[in-house]
């Protein structure tokens, strides 16, 4: 019979993978940690010696926990999540090489733009897409979680896949070129150079700023479309760029405004052909307070 210490060690081997699954399911680092902890509690109450494939078992259990959280979230939400919602970002210093144990969480394939699209999927669609398309879980294993047959589960994933492909913007994969564009954006903002800002922004750029429910006024949550309007916003908030610096946001070059060890805002971007096409800003004080930013908050 497996002892508690040995079982805990075996579980820890899978923690990074499970957190990656939960983060893609929930878009919240705090909730992802809670879901992984719930999976551990379920394992500790189970006859682990009877589990043939512990990694697969834990993945499906974590998926089920996340699905329940998503359904509960949808049921208690009186209104749909605001269009300006930005998921929790994963931050690390620009020069830092990812720890191999964290690679799956840090992968570029889970950029903020993709997570925003996933937020608009139905809970069952999100589960089928995340588990199958991102983690290669067979439909036969996913079907019992969503209480459907394998064929119907396959249709869920297919429907989600079409929505994801149609709504997720493409982005420049090269970190060096990403940095060049962000450096140009920062320089133009700090100089108050409106024309230089227009040059680095795509004509149809979309700015998504999530400040939470309590912030009002000019800094409130909003969607801003078009290069001229986004450039005007950038100039309005230019003073905040004085303390901003480049970091990795979900594996791509982004920006953090931090001072005295406190993160005040995080921005991720999508870039195409040398121009910023999307900006994803999290400025919700409550969520930023809980953000894990080792080596990033200055």
């Amino acid at each position: 019979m497996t002892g508690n210490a040995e079982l805990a060690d075996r579980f820890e081997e899978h923690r990074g993978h499970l957190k990656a699954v939960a983060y893609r399911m929930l878009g919240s680092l705090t909730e992802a940690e809670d879901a992984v902890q719930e999976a551990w509690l379920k394992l500790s109450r189970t006859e682990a010696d009877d589990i043939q494939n512990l990694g697969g078992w834990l993945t499906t259990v974590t998926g089920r926990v996340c699905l329940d959280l998503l359904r509960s979230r949808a049921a208690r939400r009186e209104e749909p999540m605001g269009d300006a919602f930005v998921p929790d970002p994963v931050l690390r210093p620009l020069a830092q090489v990812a720890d191999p144990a964290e690679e799956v969480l840090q992968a570029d394939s889970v950029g903020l733009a993709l997570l925003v699209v996933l937020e608009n999927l139905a809970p069952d669609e999100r589960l089928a897409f995340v588990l199958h398309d991102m983690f290669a879980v067979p439909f036969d294993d996913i079907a019992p979680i969503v209480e459907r047959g394998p064929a119907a589960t396959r249709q869920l994933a297919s429907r989600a896949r079409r929505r994801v492909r149609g709504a997720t913007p493409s982005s420049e994969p090269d970190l060096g070129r990403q940095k060049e564009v962000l450096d140009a954006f920062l320089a133009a903002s700090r100089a108050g150079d409106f024309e230089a800002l227009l040059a680095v922004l795509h004509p149809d750029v979309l700015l998504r700023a999530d400040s939470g429910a309590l912030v009002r006024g000019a800094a409130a949550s909003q969607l801003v479309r078009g290069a001229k309007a986004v450039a005007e916003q950038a100039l309005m908030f230019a003073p905040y760029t004085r303390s901003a610096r480049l970091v990795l946001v979900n594996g791509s070059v982004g920006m953090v405004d931090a001072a005295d060890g406190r993160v005040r805002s995080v921005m991720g971007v999508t870039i195409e052909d040398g121009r910023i096409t999307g900006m994803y800003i999290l400025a919700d004080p409550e969520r930023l307070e809980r953000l894990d930013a080792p080596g990033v908050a200055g």
Side-chain angles (χ1 to χ4, degrees):
M1 182 174 181
T2 304
N4 285 341
E6 181 184 347
L7 187 61
D9 288 343
R10 292 177 63 195
F11 178 81
E12 287 303 318
E13 293 174 2
H14 298 281
R15 179 180 288 276
H17 167 78
L18 299 178
K19 186 176 178 182
V21 171
Y23 176 54
R24 287 156 173 76
M25 281 291 299
L26 301 168
S28 163
L29 293 167
T30 303
E31 288 187 344
E33 291 281 7
D34 290 344
V36 172
Q37 185 61 23
E38 180 64 23
W40 160 247
L41 293 175
K42 289 180 181 296
L43 176 63
S44 66
R45 297 192 293 261
T46 301
E47 287 294 335
D49 290 340
D50 296 335
I51 300 173
Q52 299 296 316
N53 178 358
L54 182 60
W57 187 91
L58 286 170
T59 298
T60 55
V61 166
T62 300
R64 190 185 300 275
V65 171
C66 291
L67 181 61
D68 290 343
L69 284 170
L70 286 177
R71 286 172 172 171
S72 175
R73 186 193 288 176
R76 67 174 181 266
R77 189 183 297 144
E78 295 180 0
E79 298 179 357
M81 190 171 287
D83 288 339
F85 175 76
V86 174
D88 288 352
V90 177
L91 305 180
R92 59 186 170 97
L94 189 58
Q96 179 180 316
V97 177
D99 184 321
E102 292 290 313
E103 283 292 351
V104 113
L105 180 62
Q106 301 282 2
D108 292 358
S109 60
V110 67
L112 290 180
L114 174 57
L115 287 172
V116 166
V117 175
L118 293 181
E119 288 292 335
N120 294 315
L121 298 179
D124 289 9
E125 290 177 343
R126 187 167 185 170
L127 177 89
F129 177 80
V130 167
L131 289 190
H132 181 267
D133 284 43
M134 293 185 169
F135 295 99
V137 177
F139 287 120
D140 286 349
D141 294 341
I142 301 172
I145 306 175
V146 294
E147 300 174 335
R148 287 173 167 84
T153 304
R154 186 184 298 273
Q155 286 300 313
L156 280 177
S158 178
R159 188 159 61 241
R161 194 178 304 120
R162 287 195 298 271
R163 295 182 64 185
V164 168
R165 286 176 178 170
T168 306
S170 59
S171 188
E172 168 62 58
D174 184 84
L175 291 180
R177 286 194 283 270
Q178 293 174 18
K179 184 177 183 299
E180 289 175 5
V181 174
L182 265 295
D183 280 335
F185 173 83
L186 268 180
S189 297
R190 289 167 175 167
D193 190 332
F194 188 75
E195 293 302 320
L197 279 171
L198 289 180
V200 81
L201 295 171
H202 189 278
D204 299 320
V205 61
L206 174 62
L207 165 66
R208 181 186 304 269
D210 182 352
S211 302
L214 301 180
V215 176
R216 296 287 186 267
S221 298
Q222 58 183 316
L223 286 178
V224 181
R225 299 177 187 273
K228 182 175 183 294
V230 171
E232 290 170 349
Q233 284 287 311
L235 292 182
M236 183 186 305
F237 290 96
Y240 294 98
T241 65
R242 304 296 174 189
S243 56
R245 62 183 183 277
L246 301 186
V247 297
L248 285 178
V249 178
N250 289 58
S252 298
V253 181
M255 192 183 308
V256 64
D257 173 26
D260 302 321
R262 185 172 66 90
V263 176
R264 297 187 293 197
S265 68
V266 176
M267 183 176 79
V269 299
T270 52
I271 295 169
E272 189 171 9
D273 296 329
R275 288 184 169 185
I276 297 173
T277 58
M279 306 171 73
Y280 303 83
I281 300 174
L282 179 63
D284 181 340
E286 290 187 3
R287 290 171 60 201
L288 290 171
E289 187 71 25
R290 299 192 299 266
L291 199 63
D292 184 23
V296 170

